[in-house]
Amino acid sequence: MGTSWRWAVVICAGALWAAGCGKASTGTPDAGEENPPGDAGVDAGGDTDAGELPDGGLPDGGEDPSGPTVTDTDARGNFLPSPTRAVIAGTDTAFFATLAMLQDPAHFGRESTGPADWLHPGLIALDTKTGKVRVYTASDGLPVMRYQNEFEDYGFNTVSLFDLAWIEKDTSFAAAGFEFVVRGAKNESGGWTFSSVKVKAPGQSAPALVEHVAVAGGELFVGTNQGVAVLNPTNLAVKRWLDLGVSLSGPEVSDLSSGVVDGREAVGIVFGPSGQPATHVAVAFAGEPAATPLAFTDGSFPLTVYGMQGVMLVGALGSDGRGVIYGIAPDGSNPGNLLLDVRVDSDTLSASSVGAVVPGKMAWDDHRQRLVVGGRLLNTLEGGGMVELAGSPDGMFFGPAEPFISAKDPYAGAMPWNVDVLTFDDEGRLYVAGRQLCSEVKMRQLPVYRVERTALDEPRLVRPWISGVRDVEFDPVHGDTWLALHDAQGGMACDGIPVGSSVCRLRADGACEVVPLSVNDGDGTLAASPSAVDVTFGDVAQKQMAAATVSDATYARANDSARQIMTQIDPKVSLRMTRAVFGVKKTLWLGSKAEWSSYPMMDEVAINRRSPHGLGLLELDGTATPVFSRRYVREKSDLGIAEIEGLPSNAVWDVVPLPGEDEASRRALIALGVERFSYTYEHVLGDPAPSNARGGIALVDDETVSVFAPPEGGTFGDVMGLAVGKAGAFAVDDGLGVLRLDLDGKTTSVFAHAPWTAPERPLSLAEDAVGHLAVGTTHGLYVFGADGGMTRAFGDQLYGYVWRVTFADDGVIYAGTDQGLVRVALDDAKLPEAIGPASYPDRELWPLPPPCTGEGCTCKADPDCDSGLICSCDTGGTCACAVEDPCVANPGGKDCACQMPGDPICGAGLTCDCTFGPCSCQVDPAACTPPNVCTCTDVQDCPLDWYCNPSNACAQRQPCDANCSCATPNGCSPGLICQGGIAGKSCI
């Protein structure tokens, strides 16, 4: 199956199997058989209803009963390391079909108990009103399949799903799952139950491979590698196999879609020979035994089909290597027949700045009356992107195609180049998923996004549900919840894992609206989806905000200026940042990991002293420009930069700014960890470095570094978190537990011994005003009372790693975990009913000044200028917004200057014409002279001194057109009219 994928750059690394990479041997038991041994049937975070509290939330046996009481727990989000391949959205629930990908559980900090732990397929159910997620697996009744490749047999696990279609909206749906057709039905308790069957075409010995489903006229159409089966959607009984009207091996179906043609419900079918690219399209009407095939006569290859009200659209690869959209509709001149004609030609579809989009997916936006086209990357690495065309539901479109999101919009870089999912819901919100290029042979898997539009048609990019939460902050203006989302090391996306990252604000529906970290300093553009691990706010009057990232630049904002700061260069702290925290007034503290690199036969100590590491300090002016920088380290380097030595270690895990004697205080408390070798996966610590530097606690005060002593008889290991509040100052160490700090005496004592044992280790610490302490670990969440009593709120890696904990209010914990946001209420506290507002008036907390809307505005870079304008600089260095000269990017384009007739600089179909003034590239008359025909929409599409006639064809003006004396009754050629003027009559 999956011939449609053969046009795309295929992604095989990390995939157990994928279209174009070969199929796995299924060995699948019949539907209804008991799951074979080894079928784990669980998702990455355990298959628990979102918000369900394990063990009733009571303390585990043996824990101190004097610990705080957990009275409520609420979870939002999920991370499933499997890409989405189909979406259907109902009134309150959206389903996401996922494709299993191989991933080593150790890379996510989980122990493997067998082959099943390497695969986590499942059907995601999202409550679109709350953001809660349920993952359905084999344990809920979904069928299982066998996963194996030439190297390993991973046994049986939940089937991978390719396609979804509503049978009856909100009540039942169909899914395509490898050898299974699956039916989901809503039960009395509000959950979903599943049944499944295999299908086999007459004369075939093996079950068909099922990849597409569509529903029309009360029938379920199933696309397979043996043709199209039509099933009863109630009991999944096969009613018939369609006669496609073409004799092909297979035939193999690469796409299905339902719509209305000639007033009847129908299904469009794209198919071809088995194992080959699709070559044919057909339309099947509900209840009829045979489909109507239609042939391409211009060398095009069909790729996708999309049904609308009155027409079946077919996206194709044209013979010229560009995309084209055909329509299948009744032939007006031959009643009862269907006609295949071009609805959007290659030029119209390529008219946007995106380039030559090759349709891979299409979706109709009924609210905005636009067709959105998602591109498919070809082996030439062209054809991708997203564009839209104005039109009507009956398939009439008006060009040119426009970018779906403006190239100047910071959201644009987050959109997929190869679109795998494109689905609108009833509210006009677009679910989109796909991939971007990692290299010429691999693609990066993106998470699912939802694009919404405001009343002013402004796009808002939304994560429908949240995944790995690395930081939780509350903005100082409205108190809204901001999240730094970052699932794992970004390179895993190139192995097919849908790793997501962004800064976003939590909404009442549980979705998280992405905040574009726009910059306007002219020094480049921050990554569209930065790998954020920390968000911080400073002085509200100065609109201070910053974000720390892994591998990307540091984002900083002050007043109406926002910029990216290359902190790995100045103050030379690691690209693997841990913290960014505003201190007093203009100070920004930066924590980073130390990663020892091995250099055999060289002075490794000296080299590693020069590497980016340690604690950074920046002081920013009113434009977020660093005016002072410093690095605090264990030992000074020979770099000649501003460094203060004396830290116990170069690995900084937490920073808490402290008040000083003046407004320019450079005073902070620092938690430090063991120095380690560099490592790839963020859930996996590297081995201790040869420096043998252990962690510790330090207080820096300008040029002074003071080191805290460990508890008597103890030794620091990794000190991971700090908390300073009304109850005092605390730290958490992986071996010693929770420590109380004496800031004056620089000593520590054990407040509570570590209740965890290796390999579990702490990651975060927080304190509220009444003495509660929260400790997030690699396995769960512990809470301590003021008297040291402890309760485990949750454990056993139920939500994966707990990266950050914070108190939203006394007794109310917000925990950022691998599986999203978990909220916990202690003792008499109650969780807030609303987790955020219904919507945000602006995309940013403090909107940056709008770009220049006209020519002549000063600028530093293109983003400073409005759409259609660029930042152009003269030789004196003055830069202003100006209309972009298309000849700069394409010097051989129409109307661009050339030297002489026949000049080869002119592009295809153009020639250098010097007839009417300076030489310029114009449409070649020879290309339009009969029997050749040039289509046109206006005179600009035609050679000089030609015109565009009523048949939309370029035509030559006749000699008599100069005096209106011949050719037609009014004296002019067809399409021209005679008009008098001071120079006499002429045809126009």
Side-chain angles (χ1 to χ4, degrees), residues 661-816:
E661 296 180 357
D662 56 49
E663 293 185 349
S665 172
R666 298 170 181 170
R667 188 166 179 261
L669 189 65
I670 318 299
L672 304 113
V674 176
E675 291 184 9
R676 300 178 183 276
F677 278 105
S678 58
Y679 53 97
T680 300
Y681 299 100
E682 295 170 21
H683 288 73
V684 183
L685 286 178
D687 293 330
S691 62
N692 294 315
R694 297 182 65 82
I697 303 167
L699 190 150
V700 301
D701 189 353
D702 198 5
E703 297 184 3
T704 301
V705 176
S706 302
V707 178
F708 285 65
E712 185 176 354
T715 303
F716 288 124
D718 276 302
V719 182
M720 301 300 298
L722 299 166
V724 179
K726 290 183 179 180
F730 297 87
V732 61
D733 178 274
D734 63 342
L736 299 174
V738 181
L739 308 177
R740 187 186 293 274
L741 311 183
D742 179 351
L743 298 185
D744 294 326
K746 310 299 186 297
T747 60
T748 63
S749 59
V750 176
F751 172 76
H753 291 285
W756 52 81
T757 57
E760 184 176 7
R761 53 189 172 84
L763 296 172
S764 52
L765 176 68
E767 175 189 5
D768 69 5
V770 297
H772 291 122
L773 286 171
V775 177
T777 75
T778 56
H779 286 58
L781 174 67
Y782 297 85
V783 290
F784 297 83
D787 61 355
M790 184 275 294
T791 301
R792 190 172 71 162
F794 56 83
D796 301 324
Q797 292 197 320
L798 178 63
Y799 303 109
Y801 281 25
V802 181
W803 294 100
R804 192 66 53 85
V805 287
T806 188
F807 280 91
D809 201 350
D810 291 342
V812 178
I813 303 170
Y814 277 43

Side-chain angles (χ1 to χ4, degrees), residues 92 110 317 520 624 666 680:
D92 297 320
R110 304 175 68 90
L317 178 68
N520 61 0
R666 298 170 181 170
T680 300

Side-chain angles (χ1 to χ4, degrees), residues 99-131:
L99 173 71
M101 303 295 289
L102 279 177
Q103 55 94 11
D104 187 340
H107 297 164
F108 290 95
R110 304 175 68 90
E111 294 182 25
S112 176
T113 59
D117 290 337
W118 287 67
L119 290 159
H120 296 281
L123 175 68
I124 298 173
L126 168 69
D127 185 328
T128 55
K129 304 299 182 185
T130 66

Side-chain angles (χ1 to χ4, degrees), residues 242-373:
L242 276 183
D243 177 4
L244 296 179
V246 179
S247 179
L248 296 172
S249 62
E252 187 165 340
V253 177
S254 59
D255 203 11
L256 286 181
S257 183
S258 59
V260 176
V261 177
D262 201 16
R264 294 184 290 169
E265 291 189 43
V267 169
I269 308 164
V270 176
F271 65 100
S274 180
Q276 299 295 319
T279 52
H280 292 72
V281 295
V283 173
F285 292 99
E288 295 189 359
T292 302
L294 296 103
F296 291 88
T297 59
D298 58 0
S300 297
F301 286 91
L303 299 176
T304 186
V305 62
Y306 183 72
M308 296 181 64
Q309 296 299 309
V311 65
M312 198 69 67
L313 299 180
V314 180
L317 178 68
S319 58
D320 60 355
R322 298 188 296 166
V324 61
I325 298 176
Y326 295 84
I328 301 175
D331 184 351
S333 60
N334 294 291
N337 291 337
L338 297 178
L339 177 66
L340 178 71
D341 65 343
V342 173
R343 297 299 176 99
V344 183
D345 61 29
S346 299
D347 290 335
T348 301
L349 201 54
S350 303
S352 74
S353 59
V354 176
V357 174
V358 175
K361 293 289 181 180
M362 294 179 284
W364 173 250
D365 185 349
D366 200 44
H367 289 69
R368 300 170 62 239
Q369 298 290 289
R370 288 174 177 264
L371 179 72
V372 179
V373 181

Side-chain angles (χ1 to χ4, degrees), residues 611-628:
S611 67
H613 58 243
L615 173 69
L617 172 63
L618 295 179
E619 292 183 357
L620 308 178
D621 66 9
T623 65
T625 301
V627 293
F628 174 85

Side-chain angles (χ1 to χ4, degrees), residues 301-473:
F301 286 91
L303 299 176
T304 186
V305 62
Y306 183 72
M308 296 181 64
Q309 296 299 309
V311 65
M312 198 69 67
L313 299 180
V314 180
L317 178 68
S319 58
D320 60 355
R322 298 188 296 166
V324 61
I325 298 176
Y326 295 84
I328 301 175
D331 184 351
S333 60
N334 294 291
N337 291 337
L338 297 178
L339 177 66
L340 178 71
D341 65 343
V342 173
R343 297 299 176 99
V344 183
D345 61 29
S346 299
D347 290 335
T348 301
L349 201 54
S350 303
S352 74
S353 59
V354 176
V357 174
V358 175
K361 293 289 181 180
M362 294 179 284
W364 173 250
D365 185 349
D366 200 44
H367 289 69
R368 300 170 62 239
Q369 298 290 289
R370 288 174 177 264
L371 179 72
V372 179
V373 181
R376 171 171 298 171
L377 286 173
L378 308 177
N379 290 331
T380 59
L381 307 185
E382 298 175 337
M386 292 178 64
V387 297
E388 60 180 11
L389 298 114
S392 58
D394 59 358
M396 300 303 295
F397 304 106
F398 316 102
E402 299 175 351
F404 176 67
I405 292 181
S406 168
K408 290 181 177 292
D409 193 312
Y411 286 155
M415 292 290 94
W417 302 339
N418 192 94
V419 178
D420 299 322
V421 174
L422 207 60
T423 303
F424 280 100
D425 65 12
D426 290 343
E427 298 179 42
R429 305 180 302 185
L430 180 65
Y431 290 90
V432 58
R435 294 165 285 174
Q436 297 175 344
L437 284 173
C438 283
S439 67
E440 293 182 356
V441 295
K442 293 180 69 175
M443 285 197 278
R444 175 188 299 110
Q445 184 68 52
L446 301 180
V448 178
Y449 290 111
R450 192 169 68 208
V451 182
E452 305 174 6
R453 299 274 178 172
T454 66
L456 298 177
D457 204 35
E458 179 189 40
R460 296 291 177 91
L461 190 62
V462 170
R463 293 283 295 275
W465 69 89
I466 53 179
S467 53
V469 177
R470 296 299 180 98
D471 188 33
V472 183
E473 295 290 336

